[in-house]
Amino acid sequence: MSDKTIFEKIIDRTVPAEILLENEYAIVIKDINPQAPIHVLIIPKHRILRISEVKESESSIISNLFLTAAQFAKENNISDFRLVINNGAQAGETVPHLHIHLLSGRPMGWPPG
Ligand code: 5GP
């Protein structure tokens, strides 16, 4: 696999970030360029490039990501939120390390842009 992404450097603590929650499988950090009053990223410690590349053997990582998102929302009393995964450049993916965006704190339009 190619060089470390910014997210692996954050996981390794070689690049600073505000880590809001951490468990065995994932970290939750504030997005550096927030698109809503609350915008965090749920990032698996094990690098999966993107959701279209996930393997059956990685299913526990995927379920943990969603559980971590729900835990973060619950612990922060966030009842209404949107989860987003951008898969591929045309969908808006800029970092090739799977992550879920959790956005909240403002009304969300549909369809998304
Ligand atoms: P994507 O565009 O791949 O779905 O999401 C990548 C996200 O990572 C973007 O929302 C971007 O603002 C965020 N991001 C990129 N570099 C950094 C960084 O160094 N620190 C933090 N906290 N977020 C970053």
Side-chain angles (χ1 to χ4, degrees):
M1 207 176 279
S2 55
D3 289 344
K4 286 189 174 183
T5 66
I6 185 72
F7 292 163
E8 285 165 293
K9 291 175 187 170
I10 289 171
I11 291 161
D12 290 351
R13 308 306 204 260
T14 53
V15 166
E18 198 173 337
I19 299 179
L20 305 171
L21 196 161
E22 179 168 17
N23 60 37
E24 187 184 342
Y25 293 102
I27 59 168
V28 179
I29 63 169
K30 281 191 180 178
D31 197 292
I32 205 168
N33 181 23
Q35 301 302 310
I38 299 168
H39 185 178
V40 301
L41 305 171
I42 301 104
I43 307 170
K45 291 181 174 176
H46 169 76
R47 185 178 178 193
I48 296 167
L49 286 176
R50 58 189 59 82
I51 196 69
S52 59
E53 315 250 352
V54 73
K55 302 185 189 91
E56 191 104 24
S57 59
E58 294 165 328
S59 60
S60 61
I61 295 169
I62 302 304
S63 57
N64 175 269
L65 280 189
F66 284 96
L67 289 168
T68 301
Q71 181 193 349
F72 176 83
K74 193 173 182 184
E75 287 180 0
N76 291 280
N77 296 313
I78 302 167
S79 58
D80 294 14
F81 55 89
R82 180 171 289 175
L83 300 181
V84 174
I85 297 175
N86 296 322
N87 192 95
Q90 204 172 355
E93 178 196 304
T94 58
V95 180
H97 180 136
L98 177 65
H99 51 283
I100 301 176
H101 297 256
L102 184 153
L103 300 121
S104 186
R106 64 165 170 80
M108 301 280 163
W110 193 264

